[in-house]
Amino acid sequence: NAFGQANGINVLNSFTTKNDDYKSNPHSLLVNTPTPLLVANLTQWMTTRFADCDAIFLEDVANEASEMFGLIKQNLNSAGVQCSTIKVDGDLSFDVLSRKLNPATNYVIIPSNGNKNLLKKIIPALKQAKQERFDCDFNLIAYPEHVLYLKDYQNDLMVIDTYMFSRFFNSKGFRTRNVENSYAKWYGGTMLESYPHMGLLGFDTGCYIIGSMGNAHDINETTDLYKGIQTGFKFSRIDGCEGLVNQAITLVHFSPDKKIESFIVLDK
């Protein structure tokens, strides 16, 4: 970043989330959206998509609340959303949850962290409420780390009607398979599996850079949104900052009709 600033060369930072050089360096392009901006975009979408919904916070007694949860709570309170809290100590009781659900009211339900143990504690009561409290409705908001638990909880998240937010998501659809098949053809073997998938990160980054600059465009605030296989790219300059930050936040909808849809918040 220092070299790019000294020599007038843009540097695309695809890896870190904690680096603050974009605040003072006009040549720094941060791909992984900083957590406060990630949550601000999420809560702005929530208050539009779930207008007039109340929020129920499920606070894990056994573990600390995450930084993301604190920001979500703060932003929803500032937006004037009606909020209430249930302390989760042991398994969440259906009766306790049901007493918070008023007829003819819609809710968003937000756990205080992305811990797998908390998810395990709240899933049964949420599923029962979805099946029995037909006089109201709710959606669960899931954290980026919940993608690691899909093997165990994907069907449950679908029943509950869940939206998971993240900086990236690989739906493992035909676009992924095409890249994997091309990789096997040209290089042999398979790409290393990881989260995020580093091979796909490189592929998306390369397509974005080549596609944008190949059209004789500099990468700046006017560059079109690129919806990659795993990562989206749309840079803008936030107030008080010299560099550019990626605003392409991904939301993944696990719907009751057994579908998984991922989309970029800016595109909805």
Side-chain angles (χ1 to χ4, degrees):
N1 281 343
F3 179 86
Q5 185 170 20
N7 293 276
I9 300 170
N10 285 347
V11 175
L12 196 72
N13 177 1
S14 295
F15 301 103
T16 64
T17 58
K18 299 294 186 181
N19 184 272
D20 289 337
D21 286 356
Y22 69 92
K23 293 182 178 179
S24 58
N25 182 351
H27 296 287
S28 176
L29 283 69
L30 186 64
V31 172
N32 286 315
T33 312
T35 297
L37 184 58
L38 170 71
V39 172
N41 288 344
L42 168 70
T43 50
Q44 183 178 16
W45 174 84
M46 286 171 59
T47 53
T48 302
R49 170 64 179 80
F50 302 113
D52 301 322
C53 279
D54 293 352
I56 298 176
F57 303 124
L58 302 180
E59 292 197 356
D60 186 2
V61 172
N63 294 282
E64 278 189 22
S66 69
E67 177 188 5
M68 287 180 175
F69 174 73
L71 292 168
I72 291 171
K73 192 173 183 180
Q74 177 183 320
N75 290 354
L76 291 181
N77 281 319
S78 297
V81 175
Q82 183 71 35
C83 301
S84 60
T85 299
I86 298 174
K87 299 284 187 181
V88 180
D89 188 6
D91 292 342
L92 175 63
S93 162
F94 166 73
D95 291 336
V96 170
L97 174 62
S98 188
R99 285 196 292 270
K100 287 284 187 180
L101 301 175
N102 295 318
T105 306
N106 294 331
Y107 297 89
V108 284
I109 296 182
I110 306 156
S112 61
N113 59 56
N115 189 291
K116 186 177 183 180
N117 288 332
L118 177 58
L119 192 62
K120 181 180 179 181
K121 292 174 183 177
I122 66 177
I123 284 287
L126 292 174
K127 287 177 65 178
Q128 185 176 352
K130 204 71 176 182
Q131 294 160 357
E132 297 185 18
R133 287 301 306 270
F134 49 83
D135 57 334
C136 61
D137 199 13
F138 61 85
N139 296 88
L140 176 68
I141 302 299
Y143 289 90
E145 52 265 46
H146 283 139
V147 74
L148 300 173
Y149 318 139
L150 293 184
K151 181 179 178 181
D152 297 323
Y153 291 107
Q154 179 172 296
N155 288 336
D156 295 327
L157 295 179
M158 287 176 170
V159 170
I160 295 167
D161 201 351
T162 302
Y163 287 88
M164 182 183 74
F165 66 96
S166 184
R167 296 178 175 92
F168 44 79
F169 180 74
N170 174 19
S171 63
K172 299 184 179 179
F174 73 94
R175 296 175 70 198
T176 302
R177 292 193 295 272
N178 286 344
V179 172
E180 290 174 340
N181 291 338
S182 294
Y183 183 92
K185 174 183 176 181
W186 290 104
Y187 301 106
T190 58
M191 290 184 282
L192 178 68
E193 285 289 339
S194 61
Y195 184 77
H197 194 299
M198 303 309 287
L200 293 179
L201 174 60
F203 182 83
D204 284 337
T205 303
C207 287
Y208 173 68
I209 293 172
I210 293 169
S212 300
M213 301 189 74
N215 290 325
H217 295 307
D218 290 330
I219 294 176
N220 54 39
E221 291 176 284
T222 66
T223 307
D224 291 339
L225 168 67
Y226 174 78
K227 292 183 284 187
I229 296 174
Q230 177 179 249
T231 304
F233 295 86
K234 183 66 174 101
F235 287 97
S236 68
R237 187 168 284 106
I238 58 179
D239 291 344
C241 296
E242 296 290 325
L244 297 172
V245 175
N246 188 15
Q247 299 270 11
I249 306 305
T250 298
L251 276 165
V252 186
H253 184 201
F254 299 90
S255 67
D257 57 2
K258 303 298 182 182
K259 292 181 180 178
I260 301 175
E261 179 197 13
S262 64
F263 57 91
I264 304 295
V265 171
L266 292 172
D267 206 35
K268 285 285 184 177

